[in-house]
mmCIF file of all heavy atoms in Angstrom:
data_model
loop_
_atom_site.group_PDB
_atom_site.id
_atom_site.type_symbol
_atom_site.label_atom_id
_atom_site.label_comp_id
_atom_site.label_asym_id
_atom_site.label_seq_id
_atom_site.Cartn_x
_atom_site.Cartn_y
_atom_site.Cartn_z
ATOM 1 N N ARG A 303 165.744 8.965 42.783
ATOM 2 C CA ARG A 303 167.216 8.697 42.685
ATOM 3 C C ARG A 303 167.395 7.265 42.106
ATOM 4 O O ARG A 303 168.288 7.017 41.306
ATOM 5 C CB ARG A 303 167.796 8.965 43.990
ATOM 6 C CG ARG A 303 167.962 10.379 44.287
ATOM 7 C CD ARG A 303 168.661 10.563 45.578
ATOM 8 N NE ARG A 303 169.097 11.868 45.700
ATOM 9 C CZ ARG A 303 169.907 12.364 46.646
ATOM 10 N NH1 ARG A 303 170.297 11.576 47.605
ATOM 11 N NH2 ARG A 303 170.268 13.646 46.665
ATOM 12 N N LEU A 306 166.588 7.151 38.504
ATOM 13 C CA LEU A 306 167.591 7.806 37.759
ATOM 14 C C LEU A 306 168.768 7.033 37.597
ATOM 15 O O LEU A 306 169.490 6.939 36.534
ATOM 16 C CB LEU A 306 167.913 9.156 38.483
ATOM 17 C CG LEU A 306 168.974 10.025 37.692
ATOM 18 C CD1 LEU A 306 168.430 10.379 36.280
ATOM 19 C CD2 LEU A 306 169.145 11.262 38.685
ATOM 20 N N ALA A 314 173.843 3.985 29.651
ATOM 21 C CA ALA A 314 175.273 3.870 29.434
ATOM 22 C C ALA A 314 175.574 2.484 28.845
ATOM 23 O O ALA A 314 176.445 2.345 27.968
ATOM 24 C CB ALA A 314 176.033 4.087 30.755
ATOM 25 N N ILE A 328 183.217 -3.350 12.415
ATOM 26 C CA ILE A 328 184.422 -2.762 11.677
ATOM 27 C C ILE A 328 185.387 -4.012 11.607
ATOM 28 O O ILE A 328 186.012 -4.180 10.455
ATOM 29 C CB ILE A 328 185.036 -1.744 12.515
ATOM 30 C CG1 ILE A 328 184.185 -0.472 12.404
ATOM 31 C CG2 ILE A 328 186.357 -1.341 11.923
ATOM 32 C CD1 ILE A 328 184.563 0.667 13.205
ATOM 33 N N VAL A 337 187.343 -16.763 9.424
ATOM 34 C CA VAL A 337 187.096 -17.123 10.832
ATOM 35 C C VAL A 337 186.787 -15.990 11.645
ATOM 36 O O VAL A 337 185.754 -15.914 12.488
ATOM 37 C CB VAL A 337 188.405 -17.999 11.359
ATOM 38 C CG1 VAL A 337 188.043 -18.305 12.877
ATOM 39 C CG2 VAL A 337 188.502 -19.207 10.511
ATOM 40 N N VAL A 343 180.528 -11.614 13.539
ATOM 41 C CA VAL A 343 179.106 -11.459 13.333
ATOM 42 C C VAL A 343 178.311 -12.246 14.318
ATOM 43 O O VAL A 343 177.235 -12.001 14.681
ATOM 44 C CB VAL A 343 178.704 -11.712 11.844
ATOM 45 C CG1 VAL A 343 179.289 -10.615 11.013
ATOM 46 C CG2 VAL A 343 178.987 -13.053 11.405
ATOM 47 N N ALA A 345 179.151 -12.895 17.355
ATOM 48 C CA ALA A 345 179.201 -12.190 18.706
ATOM 49 C C ALA A 345 178.165 -11.048 18.520
ATOM 50 O O ALA A 345 177.458 -10.751 19.514
ATOM 51 C CB ALA A 345 180.705 -11.547 18.854
ATOM 52 N N TRP A 352 170.312 -10.899 22.803
ATOM 53 C CA TRP A 352 170.192 -11.101 24.262
ATOM 54 C C TRP A 352 170.333 -9.751 25.108
ATOM 55 O O TRP A 352 169.751 -9.758 26.322
ATOM 56 C CB TRP A 352 171.243 -12.128 24.955
ATOM 57 C CG TRP A 352 170.848 -13.480 24.406
ATOM 58 C CD1 TRP A 352 171.443 -14.234 23.328
ATOM 59 C CD2 TRP A 352 169.875 -14.383 24.879
ATOM 60 N NE1 TRP A 352 170.848 -15.317 23.166
ATOM 61 C CE2 TRP A 352 169.784 -15.641 24.131
ATOM 62 C CE3 TRP A 352 168.928 -14.202 25.958
ATOM 63 C CZ2 TRP A 352 168.937 -16.660 24.396
ATOM 64 C CZ3 TRP A 352 168.050 -15.327 26.279
ATOM 65 C CH2 TRP A 352 168.060 -16.436 25.439
ATOM 66 N N LEU A 357 168.084 -3.959 27.325
ATOM 67 C CA LEU A 357 168.633 -2.667 27.727
ATOM 68 C C LEU A 357 167.839 -1.477 27.219
ATOM 69 O O LEU A 357 167.582 -0.479 27.859
ATOM 70 C CB LEU A 357 170.102 -2.555 27.374
ATOM 71 C CG LEU A 357 171.099 -3.328 28.151
ATOM 72 C CD1 LEU A 357 172.384 -3.300 27.492
ATOM 73 C CD2 LEU A 357 171.047 -2.731 29.586
ATOM 74 N N THR A 372 158.320 13.041 37.735
ATOM 75 C CA THR A 372 159.057 14.163 38.301
ATOM 76 C C THR A 372 158.487 15.512 37.574
ATOM 77 O O THR A 372 157.855 15.390 36.551
ATOM 78 C CB THR A 372 160.641 14.120 37.904
ATOM 79 O OG1 THR A 372 160.781 14.059 36.550
ATOM 80 C CG2 THR A 372 161.203 12.850 38.557
ATOM 81 N N THR A 384 162.294 15.082 22.860
ATOM 82 C CA THR A 384 163.111 14.552 21.870
ATOM 83 C C THR A 384 163.757 13.138 22.203
ATOM 84 O O THR A 384 163.775 12.222 21.342
ATOM 85 C CB THR A 384 164.252 15.582 21.611
ATOM 86 O OG1 THR A 384 163.639 16.801 21.273
ATOM 87 C CG2 THR A 384 165.192 15.163 20.532
ATOM 88 N N ALA A 391 162.397 5.467 18.314
ATOM 89 C CA ALA A 391 162.898 5.226 16.964
ATOM 90 C C ALA A 391 164.045 4.244 16.970
ATOM 91 O O ALA A 391 164.048 3.299 16.108
ATOM 92 C CB ALA A 391 163.287 6.653 16.377
ATOM 93 N N MET A 393 164.678 2.079 19.226
ATOM 94 C CA MET A 393 164.189 0.702 19.633
ATOM 95 C C MET A 393 163.615 -0.063 18.436
ATOM 96 O O MET A 393 163.798 -1.203 18.191
ATOM 97 C CB MET A 393 163.185 0.728 20.731
ATOM 98 C CG MET A 393 163.808 0.990 22.127
ATOM 99 S SD MET A 393 162.730 1.163 23.475
ATOM 100 C CE MET A 393 161.323 -0.021 23.158
ATOM 101 N N VAL A 397 164.819 -3.482 16.245
ATOM 102 C CA VAL A 397 163.926 -4.622 15.970
ATOM 103 C C VAL A 397 163.876 -4.978 14.452
ATOM 104 O O VAL A 397 164.023 -6.062 13.903
ATOM 105 C CB VAL A 397 162.540 -4.511 16.556
ATOM 106 C CG1 VAL A 397 161.659 -5.505 16.163
ATOM 107 C CG2 VAL A 397 162.682 -4.406 18.061
ATOM 108 N N VAL A 423 176.162 -4.729 8.923
ATOM 109 C CA VAL A 423 176.747 -4.827 10.195
ATOM 110 C C VAL A 423 177.313 -3.426 10.664
ATOM 111 O O VAL A 423 177.835 -3.342 11.782
ATOM 112 C CB VAL A 423 177.915 -5.957 10.306
ATOM 113 C CG1 VAL A 423 177.372 -7.312 10.067
ATOM 114 C CG2 VAL A 423 178.930 -5.623 9.223
ATOM 115 N N SER A 430 172.705 4.074 15.632
ATOM 116 C CA SER A 430 172.443 3.942 16.995
ATOM 117 C C SER A 430 173.349 4.721 17.803
ATOM 118 O O SER A 430 172.831 5.481 18.705
ATOM 119 C CB SER A 430 172.359 2.582 17.328
ATOM 120 O OG SER A 430 171.314 1.747 16.706
ATOM 121 N N PRO A 445 168.949 21.426 26.435
ATOM 122 C CA PRO A 445 168.575 22.710 25.475
ATOM 123 C C PRO A 445 167.100 22.836 25.156
ATOM 124 O O PRO A 445 166.286 22.085 25.525
ATOM 125 C CB PRO A 445 169.431 22.381 24.201
ATOM 126 C CG PRO A 445 169.312 20.832 24.158
ATOM 127 C CD PRO A 445 169.453 20.482 25.562
ATOM 128 N N LYS A 461 149.502 31.984 36.840
ATOM 129 C CA LYS A 461 148.232 32.780 37.144
ATOM 130 C C LYS A 461 147.598 32.269 38.447
ATOM 131 O O LYS A 461 147.054 33.073 39.142
ATOM 132 C CB LYS A 461 147.262 32.407 35.962
ATOM 133 C CG LYS A 461 147.652 33.173 34.730
ATOM 134 C CD LYS A 461 146.639 32.840 33.636
ATOM 135 C CE LYS A 461 147.161 33.491 32.361
ATOM 136 N NZ LYS A 461 146.258 33.111 31.178
ATOM 137 N N GLU A 466 146.384 33.717 44.022
ATOM 138 C CA GLU A 466 146.513 33.320 45.400
ATOM 139 C C GLU A 466 147.031 34.555 46.240
ATOM 140 O O GLU A 466 146.640 34.908 47.350
ATOM 141 C CB GLU A 466 147.256 32.152 45.648
ATOM 142 C CG GLU A 466 147.425 31.575 47.085
ATOM 143 C CD GLU A 466 146.038 31.358 47.814
ATOM 144 O OE1 GLU A 466 145.120 30.803 47.043
ATOM 145 O OE2 GLU A 466 146.005 31.463 49.025
#
Side-chain angles (χ1 to χ4, degrees):
R303 285 181 165 188
L306 182 61
I328 290 170
V337 173
V343 295
W352 292 98
L357 284 170
T372 64
T384 300
M393 283 175 44
V397 171
V423 293
S430 296
K461 286 179 184 176
E466 181 63 31

